[in-house]
Amino acid sequence: MVLLNSLVFFSALAAVAFAVPAQEKRVHRQADLSDHTHDDAHNYQYDHEAFLGKEEAKTFDQLTPEESKDRLAKIVDRIDTDKDGYINHAELHYWIKHRQRRYIQDNVNKHWKDYDKNRDDKISWEEYKNTTYGYYLGEEFDDLEDKDTYKSMLIRDERRFKAADRDRDGIATREEFTAFLHPEEFDHMRDVVVQETMEDIDMDKDGKVNLDEYIGDMYTPEERENEPDWVQTEKKHFTEFRDINKDGFLDAAEVAQWVLPGEVDHADNEAKHLIHETDTDKDEKITKKEVLANWNMFVGSQATNYGEDLTKSHDEL
């Protein structure tokens, strides 16, 4: 499962002090629980990040097995909201959704202080533009080697900002700024998400996505590298599922169905998956004992670096 891809000009962003991270400038799939492949045959990193949240997972990656289990036991207590000693699907689903919301909230808070220069708890387009592009605006980006890329970034940012600015006053509230950073979370940003995806994948600019463009956005083979099995699977998905009208291309409507499948609830699917894999007595709910017995399922088989890494204590979630 390939999720949010970085822009090809990611390295150029370093020249702009406060630019929004590349993965937030283009949403290429529906926001997911993890950037890792959901492949339990090889590792549990997807489950790990889904359960803990991406930032929290970074802490667990440096814990010994004993520390991980102790921390995990405390998290289980928090998930068990009715304190009956069991985690059911509803509780686990709510927890995973909570981790998703928390990730977005923390991300917005992190950027907010950089852009709200006059501390009025709002961010104007001028504040964002000047903070992000500042010095280069007066020079028309002439000092930059790839000035066309920066010009296109500015155009894209302004278009996305205007779409997020629902009252069209040129000023983003916290909710509007959240829509700017995470457009995949808002229905009114759907057209922007689709447009940005088309612009980035449609390399020949014919207004549609062919199979080579679809695969090329996910996978570029290395010299003498065998094509991974998942590439063949994606080619099949393109032909059988993505290309709804079977004309060999994805138009904007088909891209919308692909990148923003509104009926898919990844948190719900992940909750079902974790319970299925952990529920040894098959009563459709899991105990702390069952969770800890399958702790790698939740914190990742590589999460502790084989027990060699240590980290300082971390505050409770």
Side-chain angles (χ1 to χ4, degrees):
M1 184 184 300
V2 183
L3 304 169
L4 303 181
N5 292 357
S6 296
L7 297 175
V8 294
F9 48 79
F10 178 80
S11 59
L13 283 171
V16 179
F18 294 108
V20 173
Q23 65 270 25
E24 292 165 6
K25 284 183 169 291
R26 168 181 156 223
V27 179
H28 194 190
R29 310 285 191 278
Q30 185 179 32
D32 213 333
L33 306 174
S34 170
D35 294 327
H36 293 281
T37 300
H38 201 171
D39 182 8
D40 292 336
H42 296 91
N43 65 66
Y44 298 121
Q45 287 297 107
Y46 184 96
D47 301 308
H48 174 203
E49 292 190 1
F51 188 75
L52 300 172
K54 295 180 183 181
E55 294 303 314
E56 188 67 18
K58 293 176 183 178
T59 297
F60 269 85
D61 286 345
Q62 300 177 44
L63 298 178
T64 65
E66 292 74 18
E67 289 170 326
S68 291
K69 290 179 181 179
D70 181 64
R71 183 68 177 277
L72 183 58
K74 294 176 182 177
I75 291 175
V76 169
D77 290 337
R78 293 199 59 182
I79 301 172
D80 179 18
T81 53
D82 62 8
K83 306 305 177 187
D84 66 350
Y86 297 93
I87 294 176
N88 58 36
H89 173 268
E91 289 172 324
L92 188 54
H93 180 231
Y94 179 84
W95 172 261
I96 294 173
K97 293 290 286 185
H98 160 72
R99 295 309 303 152
Q100 288 180 299
R101 290 190 297 269
R102 179 67 179 270
Y103 170 76
I104 291 173
Q105 179 185 352
D106 289 348
N107 180 260
V108 171
N109 289 341
K110 179 178 68 175
H111 290 298
W112 188 266
K113 61 184 178 182
D114 291 331
Y115 292 106
D116 182 17
K117 293 301 184 182
N118 63 4
R119 299 295 182 259
D120 64 349
D121 206 33
K122 297 178 182 177
I123 295 173
S124 68
W125 166 244
E126 291 300 317
E127 283 179 309
Y128 175 83
K129 180 178 67 174
N130 292 332
T131 302
T132 303
Y133 299 99
Y135 165 80
Y136 300 106
L137 289 173
E139 303 296 329
E140 287 295 317
F141 301 104
D142 288 336
D143 288 349
L144 295 174
E145 182 177 344
D146 194 1
K147 66 178 182 180
D148 289 339
T149 295
Y150 274 85
K151 286 181 179 179
S152 67
M153 286 168 58
L154 177 59
I155 291 170
R156 172 173 293 194
D157 277 349
E158 184 171 15
R159 183 179 65 204
R160 188 190 281 198
F161 193 97
K162 287 180 177 179
D165 178 20
R166 303 200 73 175
D167 59 7
R168 303 183 184 280
D169 64 353
I171 298 173
T173 62
R174 193 171 291 265
E175 182 177 2
E176 289 170 333
F177 193 63
T178 302
F180 172 73
L181 290 181
H182 298 276
E184 76 285 351
E185 297 293 322
F186 295 82
D187 289 342
H188 69 278
M189 300 294 288
R190 182 183 180 90
D191 290 345
V192 170
V193 173
V194 173
Q195 184 174 358
E196 291 181 9
T197 304
M198 291 290 289
E199 288 173 350
D200 290 323
I201 300 178
D202 177 21
M203 302 307 294
D204 61 11
K205 305 306 177 187
D206 64 352
K208 50 192 176 182
V209 176
N210 61 42
L211 178 59
D212 288 340
E213 291 168 334
Y214 175 83
I215 295 298
D217 183 64
M218 306 176 189
Y219 172 70
T220 302
E222 300 291 339
E223 187 176 355
R224 291 190 294 274
E225 178 187 13
N226 292 327
E227 187 175 85
D229 291 341
W230 69 263
V231 174
Q232 285 300 319
T233 300
E234 282 296 335
K235 289 180 178 178
K236 184 177 180 180
H237 285 173
F238 179 95
T239 302
E240 296 184 4
F241 305 112
R242 312 291 188 212
D243 180 16
I244 298 171
N245 63 9
K246 308 305 178 187
D247 66 351
F249 301 92
L250 303 187
D251 58 26
E254 290 166 329
V255 167
Q257 287 294 315
W258 166 37
V259 300
L260 294 171
E263 74 280 2
V264 176
D265 185 341
H266 292 292
D268 179 66
N269 291 339
E270 182 64 6
K272 291 175 180 176
H273 164 71
L274 286 172
I275 290 178
H276 175 77
E277 295 294 331
T278 310
D279 179 21
T280 55
D281 60 7
K282 304 306 176 186
D283 62 352
E284 298 185 357
K285 52 189 177 183
I286 52 180
T287 64
K288 182 186 294 185
K289 182 178 180 180
E290 287 174 322
V291 171
L292 296 180
N294 293 277
W295 72 282
N296 277 342
M297 175 70 69
F298 291 93
V299 302
S301 60
Q302 301 175 22
T304 63
N305 193 24
Y306 307 103
E308 294 179 3
D309 292 335
L310 296 174
T311 187
K312 61 183 180 180
S313 60
H314 190 76
D315 292 337
E316 198 68 31
L317 281 173

